[in-house]
Amino acid sequence: MAVISALPPLALQAGANRVVQGVKIEHVCGDPSLPPDADRALRRSIVEQGLRALTTDVQSPTVFGGAG
Amino acid sequence: MELALGTFPVEHVTLGSPPGWAGGRLVVDPARVRALVRDDPRIREVAVDVVAPGEPARIIHVRDIIEPRIKVDGPGHTYPGICGHPVETVGAGVTHRYAGFGVLIASEALPHIRRTVSAATDSLIDMSGPGAVTVYSTLRYLVLTITTAPDLELTEWNEALLGAGHRVAADLAALVRGQVPPRQTRYALDRPAEDRPRVVHVHTLNASMVPGIGTGIYGYTRHALPVLLHPNEILDGAIAGDAVVTYPGKCSWLHVNNPALQALYARDGRDVSWLGSVVARTRWGSLREKQLSAHQTVKTAQMLGAQGALVTWNHGGNDLLEVMLTIQGLERAGITTTFLTIESDIKVVRMTPALAETGSAEPPLLFSVPEARAIVSTGTLAPAEALPAMARVVGGTAVVFDQERPDDRTPAAGPLDLEALSGAYSPIFGHFDNYGLGAQSYFDY
């Protein structure tokens, strides 16, 4: 399992092993202040990070990406 | 910066004429109060009531409580930056205040505001019985139950209500402008001395994610990087609330009566040197903002030469992340911390003996760091029993316990089993008691 979170420290403390850095609490998987194309690219990169996290073996809790 | 704070205790309040204060008895002219409240075309109606502790009374739709304070000598205006008051720095000179008394603004949230602001919940204060567990059950109130135009947008509604409350509070405070206070206390920070540890108050305050409302610093409510305040500024009302959010940590009365300030003043010059209050905002939306706020708060404490820090907060939820990151940074910088906090399982609405012993299934703190080693708990305020029927209800007639279901209204005069009615948070105003003012102690639990 991988979790996309605006606040990875909270996700790690809750016991998540694969955490993908989201954008903000108000909009975890995108940024409405960006132009549509840039927002779409950002959302795609976060989802791709999620897929990469799911297919990566981890030895300890790991944070993927730094979109925030 | 030196402030002489003159205190006029209020032990009795009546409606009548002429208005005035003498020997603990405050007379309020209701016609004058009504005229002051209605001096705003956005306000349609107002009811004026006096409520005292111990009465079989329930106050509902509490929006804010203001302790009347007036600047008698020195720069600026009490409660600066809000309601058109100047933003000039306060905290010096002479201020007069009433003690044990507040002007309480009551108004039911307009339906469109209820829908858009989840923090504009319905809250209540029981003046007697098992629900009288908070400090707000111990004050005397002039309650202004205000009906506004129904279509006001959020900031207009807030300004109308808050302005009315402050017009009345300022007018009442003016009654004692020229009088000699029965008690006067001088507040000034002592010069730091080598033989006393230097202590800073890290005063973290929630900023609303909804623009224009919430706790303000000189009326500035938006998220911003930390600012250093002299405690006298806070005693003059530099931190004040709005009339929308009902979370108790933003109450205007609370900030001028914050026991953390009194406790630090009692120690300053004796066994610590208090350097001031670093006010850092909380509930930033992103991790980087939370980290930045924590880093800058730590840096400010370091530049002040702090060796110790009393860390407080006034909210709950994800705000704890930046508070804990701040504690971590302070400890790593060699600044010893003590954290004063509620236990975050604040969803507890009825405190049974079993629950008091074991806690709820939720963790008491949503997030923690290993560096937070000295934590003082102010507990979880909740009554042991369901709330009984009350002979008198002020502020409205019915309450909504679930913001998602505004049509589900419960008559406020009847018995209220909060556990059954209120699935989420306790509606008791002041139920999270960040600074430890509640009436319950360990022995009650």
Side-chain angles (χ1 to χ4, degrees), chain A residues 6-10 13 21 23-26 68, chain B residues 209 284-290 318 321 367-368:
Chain A
L7 305 175
L10 270 183
Q13 206 156 85
Q21 173 73 63
V23 181
K24 274 191 120 162
I25 293 170
E26 303 95 309
Chain B
M209 287 176 132
W284 295 87
S286 78
L287 181 60
R288 288 168 65 88
E289 290 167 327
K290 290 175 185 295
N318 76 66
L321 203 76
F367 180 72
S368 61

Side-chain angles (χ1 to χ4, degrees), chain B residues 7-288:
Chain B
T7 293
F8 295 78
V10 175
E11 283 139 16
H12 193 263
V13 183
T14 46
L15 297 177
S17 187
W21 179 95
R25 301 177 77 86
L26 177 65
V27 179
V28 178
D29 181 348
R32 189 176 168 83
V33 169
R34 276 192 286 272
L36 282 165
V37 172
R38 298 191 64 158
D39 187 23
D40 183 332
R42 297 172 292 194
I43 291 177
R44 297 270 170 90
E45 283 174 55
V46 59
V48 178
D49 291 281
V50 170
V51 179
E55 267 189 65
R58 176 169 294 149
I59 308 171
I60 63 170
H61 301 312
V62 181
R63 303 252 73 93
D64 197 23
I65 301 165
I66 304 157
E67 183 175 276
R69 293 192 171 211
I70 187 170
K71 185 58 74 182
V72 173
D73 185 37
H77 193 295
T78 54
Y79 302 106
I82 57 171
C83 304
H85 303 161
V87 293
E88 188 179 359
T89 302
V90 291
V94 180
T95 296
H96 285 179
R97 67 177 279 251
Y98 292 112
F101 173 73
V103 173
L104 190 154
I105 306 165
S107 193
E108 178 163 358
L110 300 171
H112 62 281
I113 289 171
R114 208 188 267 291
R115 276 195 301 275
T116 51
V117 185
S118 64
T121 53
D122 283 5
S123 58
L124 60 88
I125 299 171
D126 273 9
M127 300 306 287
S128 61
V133 289
T134 77
V135 70
Y136 300 106
S137 301
T138 71
L139 304 176
R140 286 165 205 286
Y141 295 112
L142 182 72
V143 181
L144 312 174
T145 304
I146 297 175
T147 308
T148 65
D151 55 350
L152 296 181
E153 56 98 6
L154 178 64
T155 53
E156 291 280 322
W157 186 64
N158 179 42
E159 280 174 23
L161 294 176
L162 205 59
H166 277 279
R167 281 196 297 282
V168 171
D171 189 64
L172 292 175
L175 296 171
V176 292
R177 177 196 282 277
Q179 295 196 49
V180 178
R183 191 170 86 238
Q184 192 171 59
T185 310
R186 174 190 162 274
Y187 291 98
L189 290 177
D190 231 56
R191 195 182 297 275
E194 281 305 310
D195 59 341
R196 292 194 294 267
R198 292 184 300 278
V199 170
V200 72
H201 174 204
V202 173
H203 196 347
T204 73
L205 293 174
N206 172 270
S208 178
M209 287 176 132
V210 180
I213 60 168
T215 307
I217 301 164
Y218 285 86
Y220 194 85
T221 54
R222 279 173 280 178
H223 282 92
L225 290 175
V227 61
L228 178 65
L229 291 189
H230 191 290
N232 291 359
E233 296 178 83
I234 304 171
L235 294 176
D236 264 346
I239 299 170
D242 65 358
V244 178
V245 176
T246 42
Y247 295 148
K250 72 95 222 193
C251 177
S252 296
W253 182 93
L254 175 68
H255 286 291
V256 290
N257 285 286
N258 190 333
L261 305 182
Q262 296 300 333
L264 283 163
Y265 254 132
R267 303 280 295 271
D268 179 52
R270 208 177 72 201
D271 57 354
V272 303
S273 293
W274 183 14
L275 306 169
S277 296
V278 178
V279 178
R281 305 314 300 257
T282 59
R283 215 171 192 86
W284 295 87
S286 78
L287 181 60
R288 288 168 65 88

